[in-house]
């Protein structure tokens, strides 16, 4: 059976800890590889390699770095199919969805190609007589990136594109559930001319994560994953003096007003609720039906569910693949099976699909969902859509604002005024107006509010440049006359 190891100083490295994890093909429901799980000592070695390489890369000219990023962009573009196939094999999502993930990751590389412009500092001449001030953006040093299973190409690219462009070294700790695509990215970066040691991959679980969080050689940590782990990463990393951005879980609402086109809204709810088997942090998991649209909407969503073809990700007919593990499938199934007991109406029960040993579930639709029910309160992270019925937009906003998560939200309406009031009132980081999955393009930044993020920095885009650089401000004077003693505090006169 294949063993998936680390990538250090530009080559594959076998693990030494003796600890391994199982990697599955979720479509077949069987183990296909083992992954090495790094010890703290192995993490030490990787961080040392990265820190040594960081100094040289920080000194590489902007032109050199931009050339590497452009070449990296070309190579990813030319390897879309290979990257997508690697994602489908270990994650299970269907090919079109995996290609979409690659495309959205590629956007971040393209943004980072503009690094000579992005890293321009600022200059203020003559702030005082004969005194100039300029600000330079310097790399932070060595960055650790810790990523979730659900986007094994895109989320690493959210981080490493800007981190590398800014002149940092990067240590990626991918999810142990689908660790292979990270190695493909590392090879492509090497082919693009990135010096060995600047981008390393350390495979592992919480032991490797905790070693990175306390390692004195790690200057900044980017994390994407579930809320409890995001909170732990933020608290531990900052306690060890690091700059940390930690993006967590979600419960995304889609509000449908009575004037909305019900067919448009139902298509969006099904696509955004069940795409990638609901395993997206921006998946719609709650439809908030306002007023008399509810019955029409529930009927329209229910009528579409039989059209969703569930099957292996590499079958072109499949629209929705399996879940990531058997345990996760059982957890999601338990929510559907417990929903009626909590007082919800099970409109469609997708908890039983007969597709062999793969970790499959069908689409489930629950009506009459309310706060206080587990199906509302928890992030289920599976193909389960709950409908909450409310009487007004104000009630919808109050529901959303009382939810501890604040990642994404969407409103479906034909009323521009209502949409404008909604986007201003709602306490959520990313808002879609007739757009169910409002993942910002790479020239903007991605980040939720409340328990969907810890730390003050959204990820990628302009915020990514800010996070991966430190400003240094230089005040300069070239005196032309002899000085004189002045013990007063310098002022701008
Ligand atoms: P996870 O939190 O279980 O794992 C994320 C990473 O943390 C992995 O690399 C894992 O090895 C590591 N990890 C897990 N448990 C740990 C622990 N106890 N201590 C230290 N490290 C630990 O998340 P997941 O199941 O891989 O991914 C799904 C979650 O990620 C969902 O909650 C989803 O909403 C969230 N997510 C959020 C975003 C976002 O942008 N906000 C994007 C994608 C996924």
């Amino acid at each position: 059976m294949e063993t998936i190891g680390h990538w250090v100083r530009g080559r594959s490295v076998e693990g030494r800890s003796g600890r391994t994890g199982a990697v599955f093909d979720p479509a077949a429901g069987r183990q296909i590889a083992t992954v090495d799980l790094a010890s703290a000592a192995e993490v030490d070695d990787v961080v040392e390699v990265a820190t040594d390489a960081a100094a040289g890369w920080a000194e590489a000219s902007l032109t050199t770095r931009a050339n590497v990023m452009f070449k990296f962009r070309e190579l990813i573009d030319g390897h879309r199919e290979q990257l997508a196939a690697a994602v489908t094999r270990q994650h299970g999502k269907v090919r079109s969805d995996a290609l979409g993930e690659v495309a959205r990751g590629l956007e971040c590389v393209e943004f980072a190609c503009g690094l000579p412009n992005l890293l321009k500092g600022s200059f203020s001449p003559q702030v005082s007589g004969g005194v100039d001030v300029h600000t330079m953006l310097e790399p932070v040093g060595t960055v650790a990136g810790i990523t979730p299973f659900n986007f094994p190409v895109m989320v690493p690219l959210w981080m490493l594109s800007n981190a590398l462009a800014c002149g940092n070294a990067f240590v990626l700790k991918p999810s142990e559930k689908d660790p292979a695509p990270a190695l493909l990215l590392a090879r492509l970066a090497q082919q693009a001319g990135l010096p060995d040691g600047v981008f390393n991959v350390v495979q592992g679980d919480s032991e490797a994560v905790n070693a990175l969080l306390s390692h004195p050689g790690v200057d900044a940590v980017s994390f994407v994953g579930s809320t409890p782990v995001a909170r732990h990463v933020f608290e531990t990393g900052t306690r060890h003096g690091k700059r940390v951005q930690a993006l967590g879980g979600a419960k995304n609402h889609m509000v449908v007003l009575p004037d909305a086109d019900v067919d448009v809204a139902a298509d969006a709810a099904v696509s955004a609720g069940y795409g990638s088997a609901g395993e997206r942090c921006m998946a719609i998991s709650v439809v908030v039906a306002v007023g008399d649209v509810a019955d029409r909407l529930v009927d329209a969503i229910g009528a579409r569910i039989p059209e969703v073809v569930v099957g292996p990700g590499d079958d072109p007919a499949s629209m929705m693949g399996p879940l990531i593990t058997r345990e996760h499938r059982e957890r999601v199934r338990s929510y559907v099976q417990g929903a009626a007991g909590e007082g919800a109406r099970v409109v469609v029960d997708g908890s039983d699909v007969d597709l062999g040993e793969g970790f499959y579930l069908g689409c489930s639709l629950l009506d009459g969902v309310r706060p206080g029910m587990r199906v509302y309160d928890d992030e289920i992270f599976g193909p389960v859509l709950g409908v909450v019925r409310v009487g007004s937009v104000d009630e919808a906003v109050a529901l959303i604002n009382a939810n501890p998560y604040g990642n994404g939200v969407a409103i479906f309406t034909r009323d521009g005024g209502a949409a404008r009031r909604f986007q201003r009132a709602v306490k959520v980081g990313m808002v879609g107006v007739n757009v169910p999955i409002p993942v910002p393009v790479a020239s903007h930044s991605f980040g939720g509010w409340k328990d969907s993020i810890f730390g003050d920095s959204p990820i990628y885009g302009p915020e990514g440049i800010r996070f991966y650089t430190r400003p240094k401000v230089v005040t300069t004077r070239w005196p032309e006359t002899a000085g004189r003693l002045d013990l007063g505090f310098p002022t701008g006169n």
Side-chain angles (χ1 to χ4, degrees), residues 146-151 155 158 173-177 204-207 209-210 213 223-230 232-233 247-250 279-282 379 381 407 430 446 448 452 459:
I146 300 154
T147 53
F149 80 82
N150 66 328
F151 285 106
V155 171
W158 282 2
K173 205 304 284 172
S175 169
E176 63 275 41
K177 297 187 179 113
D205 55 9
S206 57
E207 185 171 336
V209 173
N210 290 331
L213 295 178
F223 173 87
V224 175
S226 61
T227 287
V229 184
H232 163 74
V233 165
L247 283 76
E279 291 175 327
R280 293 182 185 138
C281 68
M282 291 291 274
E379 180 184 34
F381 222 55
N407 215 37
M430 293 170 283
F446 180 110
S452 295
I459 205 160

Side-chain angles (χ1 to χ4, degrees), residues 378-459:
D378 295 356
E379 180 184 34
I380 299 175
F381 222 55
V384 182
L385 208 45
V387 178
V388 179
R389 296 176 176 232
V390 298
S392 66
V393 190
D394 288 348
E395 221 183 298
V397 170
L399 173 87
I400 294 161
N401 289 352
N403 194 285
Y405 297 106
N407 215 37
V409 72
I411 184 165
F412 277 71
T413 179
R414 292 181 168 114
D415 180 341
R420 186 171 184 278
R421 282 191 296 281
F422 176 82
Q423 66 190 259
R424 288 175 57 77
V426 81
K427 295 191 190 318
V428 175
M430 293 170 283
V431 183
V433 177
N434 298 315
V435 172
I437 307 184
V439 174
V441 291
S443 51
H444 290 254
S445 299
F446 180 110
W449 285 13
K450 300 190 276 183
D451 283 359
S452 295
I453 199 166
F454 298 86
D456 67 350
S457 182
I459 205 160

